[in-house]
Amino acid sequence: MATPTMEHRPLDEDDLTLLRLLAEGLPTDAVARRLDTSERTVRRRARAICDRLGVPAPIAAVVWAARRGLL
């Protein structure tokens, strides 16, 4: 899988909100409460972000976004 570039803008504002909450160290259930959604939805969205970025885990997605100044 190719590494995305900033020109592709792979993350929308909802994605970044999710990553910001994960970056705070919040567990899935707390993120779900903050986003008014289910834990399953949080896990599915986090996995979709990882797949889009080509990273193995949500923490890697947080690092990816932070290194690019998105968080």
Side-chain angles (χ1 to χ4, degrees):
M1 178 177 279
T3 302
T5 63
M6 286 304 297
E7 294 78 41
H8 291 129
R9 305 298 262 161
L11 302 175
D12 63 23
E13 198 55 43
D14 289 339
D15 296 333
L16 293 174
T17 298
L18 176 64
L19 292 178
R20 284 183 191 108
L21 294 172
L22 293 175
E24 290 178 21
L26 296 176
T28 305
D29 63 328
V31 173
R33 282 193 302 275
R34 291 255 191 113
L35 297 177
D36 194 29
T37 192
S38 71
E39 290 180 54
R40 181 177 182 193
T41 297
V42 169
R43 285 191 299 272
R44 186 182 39 132
R45 285 179 56 201
R47 174 55 26 214
I49 291 168
C50 290
D51 290 346
R52 215 170 325 137
L53 297 179
V55 298
I59 190 63
V62 168
V63 170
W64 185 96
R67 285 184 176 166
R68 287 157 179 80
L70 300 174
L71 300 182

